[in-house]
Amino acid sequence: MAGKELYVSAPGKVILHGEHAVVHGKVALAVGLNLRTFLRLKPSRDKNTMKINLPNIGAKLSWNISDLQTLVPSFQECEPVSPSPEQLDILKTFAGVSSGTKDTESLAILAFLYLYLSICGQLRRLPSLEIVVWSQLPTGAGLGSSAAYSVSLVAALLTASEKISYPAQDNIETARWTQNELTLVNGWAFQGEKVIHGNPSGVDNAVGTWGGALRYQAGQITPIERVPMLQILLTNTRVPRSTKTLVAGVKDKLLKYPNIMEPVLSSINAISEECQRVLQAAVDGLSKEHYSVLEELIDINQHHLNVIGVGHPSLDRLCQVTASHGLHSKLTGAGGGGCAITLLQPDIQPTVVDAAKQQLSDCGYQCWETSIGAPGVSLQSSSSLPEEVTRSLNTA
């Protein structure tokens, strides 16, 4: 068991284009969101205790290693495999979680226990660790917060248990694992997502692992090479929505009006394809013309998403506000409220962005100025962490 302190981070995720159409076999583009989840892992001073602290959701737990050790015979997987109902029942009983629970804290703890026991269970003795996970991502907003949690946990546990290497940082701020090692991280993180979500697509954990941009179609996930980072304004309308209800509504419309809806979904597919072409063509960076195309695609797609019934007055208001400042926005994710992205060109005046942010805040929305196309899971030096992150990890 490696005795080093580790700092790991993983990005969130947004859908750039293709939401809802992807359910019907069309292309979706998912991109790494540079709002990240950060994890600190260090050996515990108490050799008989495993501790985890999740300050974002107010969870702080510890277990006796000898009690955890009794569970190990049920978690002896060498490779990532789906959690069985029997394993989940064992963990729920151990953690005192009732069956059918949906609350964030319980699901996060179950995912941790599954990953910890599965990854570390083959060691001679379970390691005594202190883990703190703090995130810039809001939970339940469709931004991949649970996947970023699973990915960062897996990367840290695999590294600490020496199942993947400790990347040499050589005085650089961040380092990444090899492609084969990242494939293992992604495989285990997908299992953590299954504990939390039951039947996830695998897109969120793939973005958290590899970052950049991914193409998703009919269950196939393909990384897109050489995608430039794009500056955006991410806005959370704070309007809750049910993804299941919205997906069902689009399906009902497609069955009722197939000759109307299918062309719209095909057009959304074409938008994803054109966006991918533009991003990959910009080898030397995006030109003004590239940005103009990306802005037009955003506007067209937002209109399509309203047509298929996943818009919302809060999103209409958001688009009106940003348009009044010459900016272009679309919903991201399920719609019906939730979040939207606004593309920011590199030469935009800060005063324009500040004015838009202020007006959106006045609407009761939450805004972040950030980027998409962010790098995937990374090992970080403590000195590279933002002050807010260092403070949150060390005072939790």
Side-chain angles (χ1 to χ4, degrees):
M1 184 74 195
K4 294 184 178 180
E5 183 175 67
L6 302 174
Y7 290 90
V8 174
S9 76
K13 167 233 74 183
V14 295
I15 300 296
L16 186 54
H17 290 293
E19 43 270 278
H20 288 283
V22 71
V23 177
H24 303 281
K26 311 302 183 185
V27 174
L29 302 181
V31 290
L33 173 67
N34 209 27
L35 295 177
R36 303 179 74 87
T37 291
F38 296 86
L39 178 148
R40 185 194 72 200
L41 176 152
K42 65 179 182 180
S44 176
R45 294 178 183 176
D46 181 351
K47 301 302 181 185
N48 296 310
T49 305
M50 172 68 233
K51 298 179 180 179
I52 185 167
N53 189 352
L54 310 175
N56 294 86
I57 58 175
K60 190 172 186 178
L61 295 98
S62 64
W63 300 277
N64 190 289
I65 292 293
S66 60
D67 292 336
L68 288 165
Q69 199 74 42
T70 64
L71 307 181
V72 167
S74 299
F75 298 86
Q76 289 290 318
E77 293 81 4
C78 297
E79 299 293 334
V81 293
S82 298
S84 69
E86 292 77 18
Q87 288 174 322
L88 293 177
D89 286 342
I90 289 169
L91 295 179
K92 288 174 184 176
T93 300
F94 179 81
V97 172
S98 59
S99 293
T101 185
K102 299 284 186 187
D103 74 272
T104 301
E105 178 180 343
S106 296
L107 293 173
I109 294 305
L110 291 175
F112 165 73
L113 288 171
Y114 179 77
L115 294 170
Y116 172 73
L117 292 167
S118 297
I119 291 171
C120 302
Q122 294 179 54
L123 300 175
R124 185 175 59 83
R125 185 175 186 271
L126 289 172
S128 302
L129 304 171
E130 293 182 14
I131 294 175
V132 181
V133 186
W134 181 83
S135 187
Q136 297 170 325
L137 293 159
T139 59
L143 301 176
S145 61
S146 69
Y149 169 71
S150 291
V151 169
S152 55
L153 266 179
V154 167
L157 290 171
L158 287 172
T159 302
S161 60
E162 300 180 334
K163 294 187 176 183
I164 60 176
S165 64
Y166 190 102
Q169 289 181 279
D170 297 326
N171 297 319
I172 60 175
E173 293 184 342
T174 63
R176 305 204 66 214
W177 292 267
T178 67
Q179 287 301 309
N180 285 340
E181 289 171 331
L182 289 173
T183 297
L184 184 61
V185 170
N186 185 56
W188 276 117
F190 187 35
Q191 309 316 318
E193 281 282 87
K194 287 180 182 178
V195 175
I196 295 171
H197 293 296
N199 187 32
S201 68
V203 170
D204 288 15
N205 51 275
V207 173
T209 301
W210 279 287
L214 302 174
R215 174 190 174 105
Y216 180 71
Q217 184 177 25
Q220 295 296 312
I221 300 172
T222 308
I224 303 173
E225 301 296 331
R226 302 183 307 277
V227 172
M229 294 265 283
L230 301 174
Q231 297 303 307
I232 65 160
L233 189 63
L234 175 72
T235 304
N236 185 359
T237 66
R238 304 183 198 248
V239 174
R241 72 278 183 271
S242 166
T243 300
K244 184 177 180 181
T245 300
L246 289 160
V247 169
V250 174
K251 183 179 179 181
D252 288 345
K253 279 189 174 63
L254 182 59
L255 291 172
K256 191 174 181 180
Y257 306 111
N259 293 333
I260 297 171
M261 291 289 286
E262 183 56 45
V264 179
L265 296 178
S266 294
S267 182
I268 292 175
N269 182 82
I271 289 169
S272 296
E273 297 276 17
E274 179 65 8
C275 181
Q276 180 179 342
R277 187 195 67 75
V278 171
L279 293 177
Q280 289 187 294
V283 177
D284 298 320
L286 292 168
S287 66
K288 267 287 188 185
E289 290 73 21
H290 288 134
Y291 272 102
S292 293
V293 172
L294 293 178
E295 289 175 341
E296 282 190 293
L297 295 178
I298 284 172
D299 292 342
I300 296 167
N301 201 1
Q302 178 61 23
H303 288 303
H304 284 351
L305 291 164
N306 278 328
V307 167
I308 67 174
V310 297
H312 189 271
S314 64
L315 292 164
D316 294 339
R317 177 62 179 148
L318 184 154
C319 290
Q320 290 165 1
V321 167
T322 57
S324 71
H325 297 278
L327 304 173
H328 302 259
S329 306
K330 66 173 284 290
L331 68 85
T332 182
C339 294
I341 54 174
T342 304
L343 185 62
L344 303 177
Q345 294 204 27
D347 59 354
I348 190 170
Q349 293 297 313
T351 52
V352 174
V353 180
D354 290 342
K357 287 167 66 176
Q358 183 59 58
Q359 201 171 343
L360 291 168
S361 296
D362 291 344
C363 294
Y365 304 159
Q366 185 178 17
C367 300
W368 298 267
E369 201 173 334
T370 183
S371 57
I372 53 177
V377 65
S378 306
L379 183 72
Q380 299 209 209
S381 66
S382 58
S383 61
S384 73
L385 300 174
E387 183 179 342
E388 174 194 33
V389 176
T390 302
R391 183 173 62 252
S392 299
L393 290 175
N394 291 333
T395 60

